[in-house]
Amino acid sequence: MSNDNDMQEAEITVQDTFSSYTESIKTGLDNGLNYVLLFNTLVNTNDFEELLNAAEQLADFSLDSEYLEFPHQFTGEDVQSIFLSRVLELGGVSDQFKLKDTSRIQKLLGNFNGLDDQPFTFKKSPKSEAGYYFVATNDGQSLMYLNLKTKELMFNGRALINFFVVVLEGKDIASIKNMLNTLKKFGKILKETSGFTVEFNVLDSFNNQFFEFAGGNVAEEIMDELFVKSAENEYILMANESGDAILDLNADTTLVISNKGTVDHPKYGAYIQDKDQEENWIYLLLDYDFLQKWYLDNEKQLEILSNRVVFG
């Protein structure tokens, strides 16, 4: 009697195993189909909210299951690159950033128009589960931070200046500005269409934007140095009634260095007054060699502050 029960129990166990196996395969296939639907949305939708939702889900999508593994997959980092490309495409600037050959699934790299020898990609942030850094692969500097879940985009002023002004020295300035404009456009699109919080930092062209210096105070000899360099290049650095340093660079652009703190607790920084509100800090460094040298020679004091928690 017990032998018959053992056989029946063994038969039920085997059947349960087969049922569990087929159910796991089906679950894996359904999961893969869901991935395909999201991925098709990512690469084909013309709706910003659908694009954001698909990218956010795909960034941490677990495609493999216990019984079903997919050998070729795009990573969360790749998803960010595709997202950047699609946002620009929907924003009307698709010709400025192109993903490289994707005939084989591997880590996606992209190039900007005019800087074909400089590949860019995203890397996962070790500080945030949903955060990614946009990096120049030849240099490794984190130029911006993107978090789709919290809807945050932050630009890293130090890295932008070090890469575009120092590393790319000698490159065509128009091409450099074109890429910076494209990154800035990316931020504007996300801000206007999807409610992202965007910190443009040295890319901010708003006239009332105060570029705060990291040193707090600006030593007298540093200002003297700017006065001398300005004069050598036929510009005049003057002081107004409030004690601000005023430097007229052209008919439409003025650089103002001001203390927004107190005598005991100084908070020095700069404004850029520009009729068309197109100039920003990094553009001035690219356009005026004497300002660039002054800044780089005193970068420890003059660095434009970025988010220290995100960029360190």
Side-chain angles (χ1 to χ4, degrees), residues 20-285:
S20 175
Y21 171 76
T22 55
E23 184 61 30
S24 296
I25 292 291
K26 182 180 181 301
T27 300
L29 291 172
D30 290 341
N31 190 53
L33 180 59
N34 187 29
Y35 178 90
V36 169
L37 293 174
L38 286 171
F39 196 84
N40 278 335
T41 299
L42 178 69
V43 299
N44 292 313
T45 185
N46 292 319
D47 182 88
F48 280 106
E49 286 307 310
E50 287 184 357
L51 175 63
L52 175 61
N53 179 61
E56 183 181 342
Q57 291 189 61
L58 286 169
D60 58 0
F61 197 102
S62 298
L63 183 54
D64 292 338
S65 60
E66 182 180 0
Y67 290 96
L68 194 61
E69 294 185 1
F70 296 82
H72 302 297
Q73 302 180 30
F74 288 107
T75 66
E77 295 169 337
D78 295 330
V79 169
Q80 311 303 306
S81 295
I82 298 171
F83 178 76
L84 168 60
S85 176
R86 294 288 346 271
V87 167
L88 292 174
E89 177 188 340
L90 295 184
V93 284
S94 58
D95 59 329
Q96 297 302 317
F97 178 77
K98 295 289 187 181
L99 295 176
K100 299 182 73 174
D101 179 26
T102 55
S103 58
R104 293 186 303 149
I105 296 180
Q106 53 190 339
K107 187 171 182 61
L108 291 181
L109 301 175
N111 292 113
F112 287 85
N113 187 26
L115 293 172
D116 295 337
D117 61 335
Q118 298 292 331
F120 297 86
T121 191
F122 281 87
K123 69 176 182 179
K124 187 79 174 67
S125 167
K127 301 179 181 180
S128 170
E129 181 180 346
Y132 291 84
Y133 293 111
F134 185 66
V135 301
T137 59
N138 291 343
D139 185 71
Q141 295 191 71
S142 299
L143 304 176
M144 69 181 184
Y145 169 84
L146 177 64
N147 191 316
L148 302 182
K149 186 167 291 186
T150 60
K151 291 189 173 183
E152 291 178 296
L153 177 64
M154 302 177 190
F155 288 96
N156 184 0
R158 176 194 291 177
L160 288 172
I161 289 173
N162 285 345
F163 182 72
F164 289 103
V165 176
V166 179
V167 175
L168 297 187
E169 182 182 10
K171 293 282 188 181
D172 178 57
I173 292 179
S175 295
I176 293 174
K177 279 189 171 184
N178 186 60
M179 176 179 169
L180 290 169
N181 276 328
T182 301
L183 290 177
K184 187 176 177 181
K185 179 68 173 178
F186 176 64
K188 284 185 174 181
I189 295 170
L190 290 181
K191 184 176 182 179
E192 293 169 1
T193 63
S194 303
F196 270 64
T197 299
V198 182
E199 294 181 12
F200 288 100
N201 199 260
V202 295
L203 289 176
D204 202 322
S205 299
F206 185 53
N207 273 346
N208 289 326
Q209 173 63 31
F210 183 65
F211 297 103
E212 184 180 349
F213 298 149
N217 196 10
V218 178
E220 186 176 344
E221 55 266 28
I222 294 179
M223 292 306 299
D224 289 342
E225 182 182 338
L226 178 59
F227 178 84
V228 172
K229 290 185 183 300
S230 299
E232 290 174 348
N233 288 271
E234 301 183 349
Y235 295 97
I236 300 175
L237 182 68
M238 299 180 295
N240 64 13
E241 295 177 354
S242 302
D244 298 335
I246 309 296
L247 182 62
D248 290 325
L249 295 168
N250 58 53
D252 299 322
T253 307
T254 299
L255 175 64
V256 181
I257 298 176
S258 178
N259 179 15
K260 291 302 176 184
T262 64
V263 174
D264 295 331
H265 299 284
K267 183 181 176 182
Y268 275 87
Y271 293 102
I272 300 170
Q273 302 295 330
D274 166 36
K275 184 180 71 172
D276 297 324
Q277 298 199 81
E278 294 178 350
E279 292 288 353
N280 56 50
W281 187 257
I282 192 170
Y283 289 0
L284 292 190
L285 299 188

